[in-house]
Amino acid sequence: MKNILIVSDNHRLTEYFRSEFESQNINHVANAAYKYSSINKDPSAMKGLGATAIDMKNPSDVAYAKENFDLIFSLHCKQIFPADLVSSVTCINIHPGLNPHNRGWYPQVFSIINGMPAGATIHLMDEHIDHGAIFAQERVNISQADTSLDVYEKVIFAEKKLIKKYLIPIISGDLTAQRALPEGNYNSIKDFKNLCSLNMDSIGSLREHINLLRALSHGEFKNAYFLSEAGKKIFVRVVLEESSS
Ligand code: 0FX
């Protein structure tokens, strides 16, 4: 039996992973343990799935992961795995972006703005973020009426498709990862926060401005804002609706 650790801060994907693990009878050949990262501010849904905390910055937690598992999956884990962990255990990232384009935070937000492809990637982890040889990818289309949330839902769907198709070949070692050649580009959470602070004097086409606002429109999240004369944040999000005909 292989021992597999799944570290995730995304309960929807974890639930899906777990149901595939059982329905594809992988639980007959491997044991799965579920963890969420210790920086997760609201782990209640992950706890509901039976997960417990792990701190990738705590040497004893990292030693536990190294000693007890043959394979570790990061399923949108908010903590970076340390270099000595990824170099001693096979660690695999299921990432909501089409590597190497817009690696890092919220890839679809940046794809809407810079036109680079969006999608989902399963790849081997190395010491760099969202980097490493690629097992499988699926691109998603971004339509002109899509907000960040619309694209994100397509990406989650693509990630689920990849999990369904490639879980067994990856766990059994039958699928070889292909080296990712170009470095691509990386966006940090700071880059995202900078986008959110709207420059009211920005000069550009209306297309660029609509793209920026739809990239920052994600359901109820208060992302884009400008400052009122009183110094208060005024949040902005857009609604886009394509005609049916
Ligand atoms: O779990 P996740 O979907 O993924 C993010 C990163 O994009 C990914 O590269 C990283 N590996 C992972 C650990 O964290 O993130 P989330 O559930 O926090 O957010 C999902 C989407 O929600 C995000 O793509 C954009 C949107 N969002 C999220 C927050 C917290 C916003 O628009 N504003 C926000 O403040």
Side-chain angles (χ1 to χ4, degrees), residues 10 76-78 93 95-96 104-109 130 148 152 192 216 218 221 223:
N10 186 305
H76 296 206
C77 165
K78 297 280 182 210
N93 190 19
H95 171 64
W105 286 87
Y106 309 158
Q108 81 284 351
V109 168
D130 304 327
S148 165
Y152 185 71
F192 174 75
L216 295 172
H218 194 112
F221 281 117
N223 292 330

mmCIF file of all heavy atoms in Angstrom, residues 10 76-78 93 95-96 104-109 130 148 152 192 216 218 221 223, ligand 1:
data_model
loop_
_atom_site.group_PDB
_atom_site.id
_atom_site.type_symbol
_atom_site.label_atom_id
_atom_site.label_comp_id
_atom_site.label_asym_id
_atom_site.label_seq_id
_atom_site.Cartn_x
_atom_site.Cartn_y
_atom_site.Cartn_z
ATOM 1 N N ASN A 10 -8.741 23.927 -0.134
ATOM 2 C CA ASN A 10 -9.920 24.072 -0.986
ATOM 3 C C ASN A 10 -10.805 22.834 -0.780
ATOM 4 O O ASN A 10 -10.516 21.759 -1.290
ATOM 5 C CB ASN A 10 -9.468 24.208 -2.448
ATOM 6 C CG ASN A 10 -10.629 24.516 -3.376
ATOM 7 O OD1 ASN A 10 -11.611 23.786 -3.405
ATOM 8 N ND2 ASN A 10 -10.512 25.601 -4.115
ATOM 9 N N HIS A 76 -4.305 23.210 -4.042
ATOM 10 C CA HIS A 76 -4.512 24.611 -3.634
ATOM 11 C C HIS A 76 -4.136 24.788 -2.160
ATOM 12 O O HIS A 76 -4.930 25.329 -1.380
ATOM 13 C CB HIS A 76 -5.960 25.062 -3.834
ATOM 14 C CG HIS A 76 -6.425 25.081 -5.251
ATOM 15 N ND1 HIS A 76 -7.440 25.899 -5.691
ATOM 16 C CD2 HIS A 76 -6.032 24.378 -6.320
ATOM 17 C CE1 HIS A 76 -7.645 25.685 -6.977
ATOM 18 N NE2 HIS A 76 -6.800 24.756 -7.385
ATOM 19 N N CYS A 77 -2.968 24.315 -1.781
ATOM 20 C CA CYS A 77 -2.480 24.545 -0.412
ATOM 21 C C CYS A 77 -1.879 25.949 -0.361
ATOM 22 O O CYS A 77 -1.106 26.330 -1.239
ATOM 23 C CB CYS A 77 -1.429 23.503 -0.049
ATOM 24 S SG CYS A 77 -0.483 23.952 1.411
ATOM 25 N N LYS A 78 -2.236 26.704 0.659
ATOM 26 C CA LYS A 78 -1.804 28.114 0.740
ATOM 27 C C LYS A 78 -0.344 28.272 1.166
ATOM 28 O O LYS A 78 0.207 29.354 1.064
ATOM 29 C CB LYS A 78 -2.680 28.887 1.736
ATOM 30 C CG LYS A 78 -4.139 28.971 1.355
ATOM 31 C CD LYS A 78 -4.421 30.044 0.326
ATOM 32 C CE LYS A 78 -5.893 30.154 -0.011
ATOM 33 N NZ LYS A 78 -6.158 30.595 -1.362
ATOM 34 N N ASN A 93 1.564 19.103 -7.640
ATOM 35 C CA ASN A 93 0.680 20.256 -7.459
ATOM 36 C C ASN A 93 -0.462 20.198 -8.465
ATOM 37 O O ASN A 93 -0.231 19.981 -9.657
ATOM 38 C CB ASN A 93 1.504 21.540 -7.682
ATOM 39 C CG ASN A 93 0.761 22.799 -7.297
ATOM 40 O OD1 ASN A 93 -0.214 22.748 -6.546
ATOM 41 N ND2 ASN A 93 1.223 23.930 -7.792
ATOM 42 N N HIS A 95 -2.889 22.704 -9.936
ATOM 43 C CA HIS A 95 -2.818 24.170 -9.932
ATOM 44 C C HIS A 95 -3.871 24.784 -10.861
ATOM 45 O O HIS A 95 -4.053 24.302 -11.984
ATOM 46 C CB HIS A 95 -1.395 24.560 -10.378
ATOM 47 C CG HIS A 95 -1.213 26.014 -10.638
ATOM 48 N ND1 HIS A 95 -1.335 26.956 -9.630
ATOM 49 C CD2 HIS A 95 -0.929 26.701 -11.771
ATOM 50 C CE1 HIS A 95 -1.137 28.154 -10.152
ATOM 51 N NE2 HIS A 95 -0.888 28.034 -11.445
ATOM 52 N N PRO A 96 -4.528 25.884 -10.404
ATOM 53 C CA PRO A 96 -5.576 26.499 -11.231
ATOM 54 C C PRO A 96 -5.046 27.456 -12.304
ATOM 55 O O PRO A 96 -5.584 28.552 -12.487
ATOM 56 C CB PRO A 96 -6.435 27.234 -10.190
ATOM 57 C CG PRO A 96 -5.461 27.620 -9.124
ATOM 58 C CD PRO A 96 -4.426 26.517 -9.067
ATOM 59 N N GLY A 104 1.517 31.302 -10.081
ATOM 60 C CA GLY A 104 1.295 32.072 -8.857
ATOM 61 C C GLY A 104 -0.181 32.300 -8.585
ATOM 62 O O GLY A 104 -1.023 31.459 -8.892
ATOM 63 N N TRP A 105 -0.458 33.481 -8.042
ATOM 64 C CA TRP A 105 -1.796 33.751 -7.507
ATOM 65 C C TRP A 105 -2.821 34.023 -8.591
ATOM 66 O O TRP A 105 -2.549 34.718 -9.559
ATOM 67 C CB TRP A 105 -1.736 34.934 -6.544
ATOM 68 C CG TRP A 105 -1.095 34.495 -5.273
ATOM 69 C CD1 TRP A 105 0.246 34.491 -5.008
ATOM 70 C CD2 TRP A 105 -1.740 33.918 -4.139
ATOM 71 N NE1 TRP A 105 0.455 33.942 -3.768
ATOM 72 C CE2 TRP A 105 -0.739 33.585 -3.209
ATOM 73 C CE3 TRP A 105 -3.075 33.648 -3.823
ATOM 74 C CZ2 TRP A 105 -1.028 32.994 -1.986
ATOM 75 C CZ3 TRP A 105 -3.362 33.074 -2.598
ATOM 76 C CH2 TRP A 105 -2.349 32.756 -1.700
ATOM 77 N N TYR A 106 -4.005 33.522 -8.395
ATOM 78 C CA TYR A 106 -5.211 33.844 -9.160
ATOM 79 C C TYR A 106 -4.933 33.962 -10.670
ATOM 80 O O TYR A 106 -5.188 35.015 -11.281
ATOM 81 C CB TYR A 106 -5.822 35.142 -8.638
ATOM 82 C CG TYR A 106 -6.033 35.209 -7.137
ATOM 83 C CD1 TYR A 106 -6.139 36.432 -6.487
ATOM 84 C CD2 TYR A 106 -6.130 34.053 -6.362
ATOM 85 C CE1 TYR A 106 -6.347 36.509 -5.110
ATOM 86 C CE2 TYR A 106 -6.335 34.120 -4.984
ATOM 87 C CZ TYR A 106 -6.436 35.345 -4.364
ATOM 88 O OH TYR A 106 -6.630 35.419 -3.007
ATOM 89 N N PRO A 107 -4.445 32.896 -11.291
ATOM 90 C CA PRO A 107 -4.007 32.992 -12.694
ATOM 91 C C PRO A 107 -5.055 33.559 -13.654
ATOM 92 O O PRO A 107 -4.722 34.328 -14.560
ATOM 93 C CB PRO A 107 -3.680 31.540 -13.054
ATOM 94 C CG PRO A 107 -3.354 30.886 -11.766
ATOM 95 C CD PRO A 107 -4.198 31.558 -10.729
ATOM 96 N N GLN A 108 -6.330 33.189 -13.447
ATOM 97 C CA GLN A 108 -7.354 33.647 -14.414
ATOM 98 C C GLN A 108 -7.516 35.167 -14.391
ATOM 99 O O GLN A 108 -7.831 35.768 -15.424
ATOM 100 C CB GLN A 108 -8.696 32.924 -14.185
ATOM 101 C CG GLN A 108 -9.580 33.459 -13.075
ATOM 102 C CD GLN A 108 -9.094 33.078 -11.687
ATOM 103 O OE1 GLN A 108 -8.186 32.283 -11.518
ATOM 104 N NE2 GLN A 108 -9.704 33.659 -10.661
ATOM 105 N N VAL A 109 -7.278 35.775 -13.234
ATOM 106 C CA VAL A 109 -7.386 37.243 -13.123
ATOM 107 C C VAL A 109 -6.384 37.873 -14.103
ATOM 108 O O VAL A 109 -6.726 38.772 -14.893
ATOM 109 C CB VAL A 109 -7.082 37.688 -11.677
ATOM 110 C CG1 VAL A 109 -6.893 39.200 -11.589
ATOM 111 C CG2 VAL A 109 -8.183 37.211 -10.732
ATOM 112 N N ASP A 130 4.800 26.853 -8.616
ATOM 113 C CA ASP A 130 4.035 26.435 -9.805
ATOM 114 C C ASP A 130 4.972 26.176 -10.978
ATOM 115 O O ASP A 130 4.782 26.695 -12.100
ATOM 116 C CB ASP A 130 2.956 27.483 -10.165
ATOM 117 C CG ASP A 130 2.023 27.754 -8.997
ATOM 118 O OD1 ASP A 130 1.769 26.825 -8.219
ATOM 119 O OD2 ASP A 130 1.569 28.901 -8.853
ATOM 120 N N SER A 148 -13.795 37.118 -13.534
ATOM 121 C CA SER A 148 -12.862 36.186 -12.878
ATOM 122 C C SER A 148 -13.606 34.948 -12.392
ATOM 123 O O SER A 148 -13.138 33.821 -12.574
ATOM 124 C CB SER A 148 -12.193 36.897 -11.696
ATOM 125 O OG SER A 148 -11.556 35.978 -10.851
ATOM 126 N N TYR A 152 -12.900 31.138 -13.335
ATOM 127 C CA TYR A 152 -12.488 30.269 -12.224
ATOM 128 C C TYR A 152 -13.335 28.992 -12.195
ATOM 129 O O TYR A 152 -12.803 27.895 -12.000
ATOM 130 C CB TYR A 152 -12.624 31.040 -10.910
ATOM 131 C CG TYR A 152 -12.112 30.296 -9.706
ATOM 132 C CD1 TYR A 152 -10.747 30.094 -9.509
ATOM 133 C CD2 TYR A 152 -12.989 29.779 -8.750
ATOM 134 C CE1 TYR A 152 -10.264 29.411 -8.393
ATOM 135 C CE2 TYR A 152 -12.514 29.099 -7.636
ATOM 136 C CZ TYR A 152 -11.157 28.916 -7.464
ATOM 137 O OH TYR A 152 -10.678 28.233 -6.367
ATOM 138 N N PHE A 192 -1.651 41.196 -7.284
ATOM 139 C CA PHE A 192 -3.117 41.223 -7.308
ATOM 140 C C PHE A 192 -3.624 42.437 -6.524
ATOM 141 O O PHE A 192 -4.502 43.169 -6.985
ATOM 142 C CB PHE A 192 -3.670 39.914 -6.717
ATOM 143 C CG PHE A 192 -5.162 39.909 -6.558
ATOM 144 C CD1 PHE A 192 -5.992 39.752 -7.657
ATOM 145 C CD2 PHE A 192 -5.756 40.080 -5.309
ATOM 146 C CE1 PHE A 192 -7.387 39.763 -7.522
ATOM 147 C CE2 PHE A 192 -7.137 40.094 -5.161
ATOM 148 C CZ PHE A 192 -7.948 39.930 -6.274
ATOM 149 N N LEU A 216 -11.313 41.654 -11.979
ATOM 150 C CA LEU A 216 -11.371 41.849 -10.521
ATOM 151 C C LEU A 216 -12.787 41.631 -9.971
ATOM 152 O O LEU A 216 -13.036 41.877 -8.793
ATOM 153 C CB LEU A 216 -10.858 43.242 -10.164
ATOM 154 C CG LEU A 216 -9.374 43.462 -10.494
ATOM 155 C CD1 LEU A 216 -8.970 44.918 -10.295
ATOM 156 C CD2 LEU A 216 -8.479 42.549 -9.655
ATOM 157 N N HIS A 218 -15.377 39.038 -8.909
ATOM 158 C CA HIS A 218 -15.414 37.610 -8.544
ATOM 159 C C HIS A 218 -16.457 37.447 -7.449
ATOM 160 O O HIS A 218 -16.147 37.506 -6.251
ATOM 161 C CB HIS A 218 -14.024 37.166 -8.080
ATOM 162 C CG HIS A 218 -13.856 35.679 -8.012
ATOM 163 N ND1 HIS A 218 -13.035 34.965 -8.852
ATOM 164 C CD2 HIS A 218 -14.424 34.762 -7.204
ATOM 165 C CE1 HIS A 218 -13.093 33.676 -8.567
ATOM 166 N NE2 HIS A 218 -13.928 33.534 -7.566
ATOM 167 N N PHE A 221 -16.574 39.085 -3.660
ATOM 168 C CA PHE A 221 -15.293 39.638 -3.194
ATOM 169 C C PHE A 221 -15.201 41.131 -3.474
ATOM 170 O O PHE A 221 -15.546 41.599 -4.555
ATOM 171 C CB PHE A 221 -14.108 38.937 -3.863
ATOM 172 C CG PHE A 221 -13.788 37.608 -3.253
ATOM 173 C CD1 PHE A 221 -13.895 36.441 -3.997
ATOM 174 C CD2 PHE A 221 -13.385 37.514 -1.926
ATOM 175 C CE1 PHE A 221 -13.608 35.210 -3.438
ATOM 176 C CE2 PHE A 221 -13.095 36.277 -1.349
ATOM 177 C CZ PHE A 221 -13.210 35.123 -2.116
ATOM 178 N N ASN A 223 -12.833 43.555 -4.369
ATOM 179 C CA ASN A 223 -11.478 43.623 -4.921
ATOM 180 C C ASN A 223 -11.141 45.049 -5.362
ATOM 181 O O ASN A 223 -10.526 45.811 -4.626
ATOM 182 C CB ASN A 223 -11.333 42.648 -6.090
ATOM 183 C CG ASN A 223 -11.383 41.187 -5.665
ATOM 184 O OD1 ASN A 223 -10.984 40.853 -4.565
ATOM 185 N ND2 ASN A 223 -11.861 40.322 -6.531
HETATM 186 O O1 0FX B 1 -7.469 28.015 -3.727
HETATM 187 P P1 0FX B 1 -7.456 29.083 -4.735
HETATM 188 O O2 0FX B 1 -8.359 28.830 -5.863
HETATM 189 O O3 0FX B 1 -5.980 29.272 -5.370
HETATM 190 C C1 0FX B 1 -5.002 30.202 -4.910
HETATM 191 C C2 0FX B 1 -3.996 30.561 -6.007
HETATM 192 O O4 0FX B 1 -4.636 31.087 -7.155
HETATM 193 C C3 0FX B 1 -3.173 29.364 -6.392
HETATM 194 O O5 0FX B 1 -2.195 29.724 -7.352
HETATM 195 C C4 0FX B 1 -2.497 28.831 -5.158
HETATM 196 N N1 0FX B 1 -1.738 27.660 -5.502
HETATM 197 C C5 0FX B 1 -3.551 28.518 -4.113
HETATM 198 C C6 0FX B 1 -2.943 28.067 -2.858
HETATM 199 O O6 0FX B 1 -4.345 29.680 -3.804
HETATM 200 O O7 0FX B 1 -7.705 30.471 -4.024
HETATM 201 P P2 0FX B 1 -8.957 31.050 -3.244
HETATM 202 O O8 0FX B 1 -9.967 30.007 -2.932
HETATM 203 O O9 0FX B 1 -8.416 31.854 -2.124
HETATM 204 O O10 0FX B 1 -9.563 32.032 -4.317
HETATM 205 C C7 0FX B 1 -10.289 31.569 -5.417
HETATM 206 C C8 0FX B 1 -10.541 32.702 -6.359
HETATM 207 O O11 0FX B 1 -11.298 33.692 -5.692
HETATM 208 C C9 0FX B 1 -9.286 33.415 -6.849
HETATM 209 O O12 0FX B 1 -8.788 32.827 -8.049
HETATM 210 C C10 0FX B 1 -9.746 34.826 -7.079
HETATM 211 C C11 0FX B 1 -10.941 34.974 -6.141
HETATM 212 N N2 0FX B 1 -10.642 35.840 -4.989
HETATM 213 C C12 0FX B 1 -10.182 35.305 -3.816
HETATM 214 C C13 0FX B 1 -9.900 36.135 -2.764
HETATM 215 C C14 0FX B 1 -9.394 35.558 -1.434
HETATM 216 C C15 0FX B 1 -10.826 37.190 -5.139
HETATM 217 O O13 0FX B 1 -11.242 37.658 -6.228
HETATM 218 N N3 0FX B 1 -10.538 38.022 -4.086
HETATM 219 C C16 0FX B 1 -10.091 37.540 -2.892
HETATM 220 O O14 0FX B 1 -9.870 38.340 -1.939
#
